[in-house]
Amino acid sequence: MWDSYRELVERYPDMLPESVLIRSEIATNPATASPEALATLDRQIAALATERDPGQIIRVAYVANDVDRLADLREPLLWVWREGMQAGAVASVTNALMLLCGESYLAGRWDDTLRFAEEGLELVEAYGYLEFVWYLKYSKALAAAALGQQDVAGNRLEWMLSWSIPRQPFILPQHVYQVRTLAAIDRGDYETAYAEAVRISPRGVEGGTAQQLQLFVAYDLVEAAVRTGRSDQARDFVDAMLRMGIAKISSRWAMLVAAAQALVSGGEVASAHFERALAAAPEELWPFERARVLLAYGEHLRRERATVESRVRINAALTIFDRLRAAPWAERARNEMSATGLSRRQADASQVQLTPQELQIATLAASGLTNKAIGERLHLSARTVSGHLYNVFPKLGVTARRPARRTHRPGRAAR
């Protein structure tokens, strides 16, 4: 389908407005979108702050969805939803709700995802827009999987598949495979996660027809390959991500590509990739993916016997997972904290009591900075830093300050 569409666009470029050309370039394959196309899309998104044409907002939002820019469209989409409800514009409202499902999922507001999807389902079932039902059920299944509600997610996926078979929509099964991939990783079943992820694109992260979903599971595919001993395939997937340049798409993808590089590396090389990953995206964006990166980094540091550094990262991940109510992931983080030598009670206490500033100071101290250097960076006195560390170290099960452990062993993939 997209090949034919692209061929038409390339044949008649002078007859089409810039907005259509940009949308066609991004939507046909987000991974190959040019920086110029992304910059033009960003200008179109900025112009929507005062836009009062629901159709224009929705058209731009669907393209923005492919390249992680829905956060910038939350307010315009909420406006379409509110105004559309008053005007009885069911189609506009439904499209806005579907897009808000995607925005709220990536933002970690999964209660909103479920609420928007439920409201959308009530509308489409009441007015007969049944072609939208599957996507709304998919949104609910994805949020349920992230929350660890495996049975709820599974029931919705079965409905999606049974609905799609007689209608043969080529893209719907790939959405099912995406949710199954996440659900399998939730429960630590990486063999199943790998099998489901490669079903979306059997050739890995390059090629295939489901470009956006390909990107959605690219990091999952690398992690599942690493954890099932498919090191060569994992490196091939990372090489493909680098060739495609998908880090340019958004800060989320800059973070995940660097984290994928870390997963197939070892020692200080992996640590450097993890640090680059965490620096790539603002802390308030993409909380679920950020917590996953923090947890993977903490696991790596534990294997490198950098215990204090490991606990700091795992603690940060656990804080996010608990806030998101991502139960399976919070459980994994607690287990990983216990593997560093903390008791379960100590792990829970540290997570509850560590403040954001304490976490920041602990992270800098674990990296080897002195109290004076930390104070200069955070505009605090060395005595204030010392006082914070006096409170922080017992929470992390540390009895005395040690220099950060640095290893120089040959790089290896995580197991």
Side-chain angles (χ1 to χ4, degrees):
M1 180 183 72
W2 281 119
D3 289 342
S4 300
Y5 178 73
R6 189 180 317 178
E7 183 180 342
L8 288 172
V9 171
E10 291 174 351
R11 184 179 300 177
Y12 305 109
D14 297 335
M15 300 174 62
L16 298 171
E18 180 187 54
S19 59
V20 173
L21 294 173
I22 295 303
R23 290 169 198 157
S24 67
E25 178 179 341
I26 293 173
T28 52
N29 192 343
T32 60
S34 67
E36 293 77 18
L38 294 173
T40 300
L41 176 62
D42 288 336
R43 289 195 297 272
Q44 292 176 357
I45 291 172
L48 296 181
T50 57
E51 180 62 61
R52 289 300 176 260
D53 177 1
Q56 174 65 4
I57 293 172
I58 289 169
R59 284 191 294 271
V60 173
Y62 271 113
V63 183
N65 181 51
D66 290 341
V67 286
D68 288 343
R69 282 158 169 76
L70 277 184
D72 298 325
L73 280 156
R74 178 174 172 80
E75 289 305 317
L77 287 169
L78 288 171
W79 178 83
V80 172
W81 172 39
R82 290 191 296 265
E83 293 297 311
M85 288 296 293
Q86 292 182 5
V90 177
S92 293
V93 169
T94 302
N95 278 285
L97 287 170
M98 289 165 63
L99 289 158
L100 285 166
C101 283
E103 186 277 330
S104 57
Y105 174 77
L106 285 179
R109 295 189 302 272
W110 297 330
D111 284 344
D112 282 350
T113 305
L114 296 170
R115 178 170 60 92
F116 290 137
E118 194 58 46
E119 181 162 344
L121 284 168
E122 290 177 5
L123 275 176
V124 299
E125 289 170 355
Y127 288 90
Y129 288 86
L130 299 182
E131 67 273 20
F132 294 139
V133 171
W134 75 266
Y135 184 85
L136 294 163
K137 286 186 177 287
Y138 153 78
S139 297
K140 293 184 72 173
L142 191 60
L147 289 164
Q149 299 170 359
Q150 298 267 344
D151 292 343
V152 175
N155 291 339
R156 290 174 182 139
L157 297 181
E158 289 304 318
W159 179 94
M160 287 170 63
L161 286 176
S162 64
W163 183 89
S164 70
I165 290 172
R167 296 166 178 82
Q168 299 182 337
F170 80 98
I171 198 68
L172 194 153
Q174 281 87 349
H175 285 77
V176 172
Y177 306 150
Q178 181 205 352
V179 179
R180 285 179 175 173
T181 299
L182 178 60
I185 292 177
D186 277 354
R187 60 180 183 268
D189 182 358
Y190 288 99
E191 193 63 49
T192 297
Y194 182 85
E196 295 291 348
V198 296
R199 293 178 76 179
I200 294 175
S201 184
R203 289 176 285 172
V205 297
E206 283 181 303
T209 57
Q211 287 92 356
Q212 186 193 11
L213 287 170
Q214 230 173 279
L215 294 178
F216 258 91
V217 299
Y219 179 78
D220 296 337
L221 192 55
V222 173
E223 183 177 17
V226 167
R227 292 183 183 269
T228 57
R230 296 177 171 91
S231 300
D232 291 342
Q233 291 94 322
R235 282 188 286 270
D236 288 343
F237 298 149
V238 173
D239 289 343
M241 294 163 76
L242 295 172
R243 280 196 305 273
M244 296 164 72
I246 62 177
K248 72 178 184 298
I249 294 175
S250 67
S251 62
R252 183 173 79 95
W253 271 110
M255 175 176 66
L256 291 177
V257 170
Q261 290 178 272
L263 291 179
V264 298
S265 305
E268 288 195 14
V269 174
S271 294
H273 284 312
F274 276 124
E275 289 291 345
R276 188 162 53 84
L278 294 172
E283 290 190 14
E284 69 276 10
L285 290 180
W286 333 120
F288 184 46
E289 283 91 348
R290 184 178 188 84
R292 288 182 62 180
V293 173
L294 282 163
L295 179 58
Y297 191 10
E299 292 171 347
H300 162 72
L301 290 169
R302 177 182 60 77
R303 289 190 296 269
E304 298 295 313
R305 298 184 177 86
T307 302
V308 177
E309 294 176 88
S310 173
R311 289 175 183 171
V312 169
R313 269 63 177 202
I314 298 168
N315 187 288
L318 177 56
T319 299
I320 297 172
F321 289 139
D322 273 344
R323 175 168 60 83
L324 297 178
R325 303 199 331 276
W329 293 87
E331 182 68 15
R332 282 176 54 182
R334 287 186 171 86
N335 290 339
E336 189 63 29
M337 188 72 89
S338 297
T340 70
L342 278 185
S343 69
R344 189 61 173 250
R345 185 165 62 181
Q346 285 176 308
D348 285 340
S350 70
Q351 186 270 323
V352 171
Q353 297 174 19
L354 212 62
T355 68
Q357 188 173 59
E358 287 175 338
L359 180 60
Q360 189 176 26
I361 290 172
T363 301
L364 294 173
S367 70
L369 292 184
T370 64
N371 290 359
K372 181 180 179 182
I374 295 170
E376 290 173 350
R377 181 171 298 191
L378 301 181
H379 306 291
L380 300 170
S381 70
R383 178 172 292 183
T384 299
V385 172
S386 177
H388 279 299
L389 291 176
Y390 180 82
N391 292 324
V392 166
F393 282 159
K395 297 178 185 180
L396 295 176
V398 179
T399 56
R401 184 166 185 160
R402 319 177 178 89
R405 182 186 298 270
R406 295 298 182 198
T407 59
H408 299 278
R409 288 176 285 183
R412 64 184 188 280
R415 294 186 294 275

